[in-house]
Amino acid sequence: MEQALMKVNRNRLQETIETSAQIGAIPGNGLCRLALSDEDKEIRDLFRSWLKDSGLQVRVDDFGNIYGRREGKKKDAPPILVGSHLDTQPMGGRFDGILGVLGALEVVRTLNDLEIETELPIEIVSFTNEEGARFEPPMLGSGGITGIFDKEFIYSQKDKSGKSFVDELKRIGYLGDESNRIRKVHSYLEFHVEQGPVLEQANSAIGVVEAIQGMTWLEVKLTGEGDHAGPTPMNMRKDALVAAAKMIVAIQHAAREIDEMTTTTVGRMALAPNVVNCIPGEVSFSVDVRHPEDIKRRLAVELVREKISTIAAAEGVEIEIRDLWEIETTPFAPQILKHITEGAKAYGYSSRRIVSGAGHDAKYLSDIAPTAMIFVPSVNGKSHSPEELTSWEDIEQGANVLLYVVEALANER
Ligand code: HGY
Ligand code: MN
Ligand code: MN
C-alpha cells in the first residue's frame, strides 16, 4: 500500500516565519538583521528556544553556527543536515535564509508529531554570516567548518565601523566551542526561495537545484587628486569619481559583451572626502561577476579588468584591483536531486531543474557531503529587498518536499 504522504503543518510554519519576521523588521515588510547584530542575537535566542521546545539537543560552535540535533536509531551515524542562515541583507526580505532554517524546524516538528523515529540522526543548522553584507566575504560560518577560511581570517574580518567578527560574536554571546562544529555529514539539504524569476515564469512550484553558479568579487581602489571644486579648471582635474562613473557603465557593458547569462554588479561604493565642494580624490567600489560556466565568468572578469584599467589610464587616476572572493560553479548530488524530483511528483507538484543565480551555504557543504537545494518561486523574482515574497501555498509545498526528502534520506532509502 502506498505510504500516506506526510504533510507539514502549514499554519504553524507560517506563524513561525511571521513571528521571526518581527525581529529586525523594516518598513515595507523587509528585514535588517545583519550578522552578529543585536537583531541577529534576538532571532538566534528565539530560534534556540524553538529548537529546545522541539526536544533537540542544541549546541553552538566557534563560528556561532547553531545546531539542533534529533537523535536517530544509529546514534553514531553521520546526520542528515538541514538548514540555511538567519542573517539578512540591510534591506532584506523575510524569506532569504530564514525559510531554510524554519522549514527544517517544521520538518522536525512534523516528524515529532508523527512519532517517526529515523535510522539516522537529523541536525538543523543556522550558519553565521551567509550574506557577507556586514562581514565580507560571505558564508564565513559554513566556510569556516568546511576549511575554506581559517579561524584567524574569519575572526579578524571587520565591518564598516571597524568592529571585528570575533568581538561581535563574543558580544552577542554566541562564541561557542570548536568541538561543537559538525564534522561528518551524511547529506546536506537547503530549502530556499529562488530569488529570481525562473520558476514563476515557468509556472513551476518546485525548483530542483542542480548547481550554484560561480561568482567572483573584486575590490577596485582609485586614486586621483583631491582638489577644490571651484577654482580647479576642468582640464586640470584627476577626478576619481568621474573615472568610477565611466567604469561602472563599462562594467555593465562587459556583461552584455559576454552573453545574456553574465551578470556584473557594482553594489558597494565609498568616496573621499565625500563633501560638496571637494573633487573626490579617492573612490573604492566592489564588483560582483557571475556566470553558470566558469570559463565565461573568468572571461567576464578579465574583460572588466581590461576596461577599467584603460579608463583609469585615460582619466589619469591610479587603479588597484584586488580579488576579494570567488566560488566555482558547483554541481549538486544527483541522488538527492532524484529524491527531490520524486517528492515533487509524489505530491503532484510541478517541478523543474534550475541553476541557482545566488550563492548559498550549500556551496561549501557540497565540499564535504552530498548536497542539494529545493527552491520555491519568488514573486516577480524579487529578493535582497523588502518586496521579497513567496506565497504560503508555495512555501507549504516546498516544505512538504523537504519533509519527504529528509525522511527518505534519514531512513536510508
Ligand atoms: O550573494 C548571494 O548570492 C547570496 O544571496 N548571499
Ligand atoms: Mn540566502
Ligand atoms: Mn541572500
Side-chain angles (χ1 to χ4, degrees):
M1 189 186 78
E2 273 272 289
Q3 190 188 355
L5 279 173
M6 303 171 291
K7 294 258 172 111
V8 296
N9 179 327
R10 167 194 164 138
N11 294 340
R12 178 173 57 191
L13 177 54
Q14 179 173 342
E15 195 200 326
T16 303
I17 294 173
E18 286 175 338
T19 305
S20 77
Q22 288 159 30
I23 299 174
I26 58 173
N29 265 337
L31 284 182
C32 177
R33 283 205 305 249
L34 296 179
L36 309 184
S37 62
D38 293 341
E39 296 78 16
D40 190 21
K41 171 178 175 46
E42 219 186 311
I43 189 67
R44 285 166 171 265
D45 292 347
L46 177 60
F47 172 58
R48 214 163 43 167
S49 71
W50 282 336
L51 292 174
K52 287 187 182 139
D53 296 347
S54 298
L56 301 181
Q57 299 146 38
V58 180
R59 66 184 197 278
V60 179
D61 71 18
D62 51 335
F63 298 120
N65 298 317
I66 302 170
Y67 307 88
R69 180 180 172 87
R70 184 179 197 262
E71 278 310 342
K73 291 173 194 157
K74 299 177 179 170
K75 295 222 171 322
D76 303 331
I80 309 297
L81 187 67
V82 206
S84 190
H85 59 94
L86 289 171
D87 66 307
T88 74
Q89 290 287 342
M91 294 179 68
R94 291 173 292 159
F95 303 99
D96 176 358
I98 297 118
L99 183 62
V101 176
L102 301 183
L105 176 64
E106 177 52 34
V107 163
V108 162
R109 284 171 166 171
T110 304
L111 292 173
N112 288 348
D113 293 346
L114 299 171
E115 295 175 353
I116 292 177
E117 195 192 0
T118 55
E119 293 299 320
L120 303 179
I122 295 168
E123 292 202 6
I124 297 175
V125 64
S126 168
F127 288 113
T128 300
N129 195 68
E130 186 279 341
E131 292 292 0
R134 182 179 180 194
F135 298 99
E136 292 178 8
M139 307 194 290
L140 290 176
S142 55
I145 60 160
T146 53
I148 300 295
F149 307 115
D150 66 33
K151 190 162 174 169
E152 197 202 329
F153 171 79
I154 293 173
Y155 278 16
S156 61
Q157 294 311 99
K158 289 193 171 45
D159 68 6
K160 286 176 186 143
S161 68
K163 290 192 184 116
S164 75
F165 182 100
V166 67
D167 288 348
E168 285 295 279
L169 192 62
K170 251 184 239 156
R171 183 183 67 83
I172 67 167
Y174 277 86
L175 174 55
D177 199 281
E178 183 169 342
S179 60
N180 287 332
R181 290 186 201 177
I182 191 161
R183 304 227 180 245
K184 285 203 171 315
V185 176
H186 176 280
S187 314
Y188 176 69
L189 263 176
E190 186 164 354
F191 176 32
H192 208 285
V193 287
E194 179 205 334
Q195 302 181 289
V198 173
L199 292 178
E200 185 179 58
Q201 286 170 0
N203 211 5
S204 281
I206 301 290
V208 184
V209 188
E210 55 192 349
I212 292 183
Q213 71 174 344
M215 46 199 85
T216 302
W217 284 13
L218 302 175
E219 179 75 12
V220 179
K221 192 167 179 306
L222 304 177
T223 309
E225 277 177 15
D227 216 327
H228 198 301
T232 316
M234 292 308 279
N235 64 1
M236 282 180 63
R237 296 182 178 209
K238 291 186 177 178
D239 185 329
L241 190 56
V242 166
K246 293 182 177 176
M247 290 178 187
I248 291 168
V249 173
I251 289 166
Q252 186 197 47
H253 289 167
R256 290 191 192 134
E257 284 174 40
I258 300 291
D259 67 15
E260 77 293 339
M261 296 300 285
T262 310
T263 60
T264 54
T265 312
V266 175
R268 169 176 50 71
M269 176 178 264
L271 64 126
N274 199 22
V275 291
V276 175
N277 47 4
C278 289
I279 300 169
E282 288 182 19
V283 172
S284 62
F285 60 83
S286 64
V287 186
D288 175 316
V289 182
R290 304 190 189 198
H291 195 287
E293 293 164 51
D294 288 332
I295 294 183
K296 290 201 176 162
R297 174 172 48 83
R298 291 201 189 99
L299 258 179
V301 171
E302 274 324 299
L303 190 55
V304 163
R305 283 175 172 280
E306 219 176 275
K307 284 178 176 286
I308 63 178
S309 303
T310 309
I311 291 167
E315 294 294 320
V317 301
E318 279 165 42
I319 184 167
E320 185 201 328
I321 307 171
R322 199 161 52 89
D323 294 321
L324 266 185
W325 174 72
E326 182 167 83
I327 58 168
E328 314 278 300
T329 293
T330 307
F332 284 145
Q335 68 272 30
I336 306 184
L337 299 179
K338 206 164 126 289
H339 278 301
I340 299 172
T341 309
E342 244 170 54
K345 195 157 162 259
Y347 289 97
Y349 305 150
S350 57
S351 71
R352 56 161 288 160
R353 291 285 180 107
I354 187 170
V355 173
S356 175
H360 302 283
D361 293 307
K363 161 26 197 188
Y364 288 148
L365 272 292
S366 73
D367 293 346
I368 64 164
T371 292
M373 295 185 73
I374 299 168
F375 274 177
V376 283
S378 292
V379 173
N380 302 324
K382 293 288 282 183
S383 183
H384 281 192
S385 93
E387 292 135 84
E388 185 177 275
L389 183 63
T390 294
S391 75
W392 293 111
E393 188 200 0
D394 284 342
I395 285 173
E396 178 187 16
Q397 291 178 349
N400 281 334
V401 174
L402 182 69
L403 172 64
Y404 180 96
V405 179
V406 169
E407 190 275 333
L409 292 171
N411 280 324
E412 300 181 284
R413 285 202 301 278

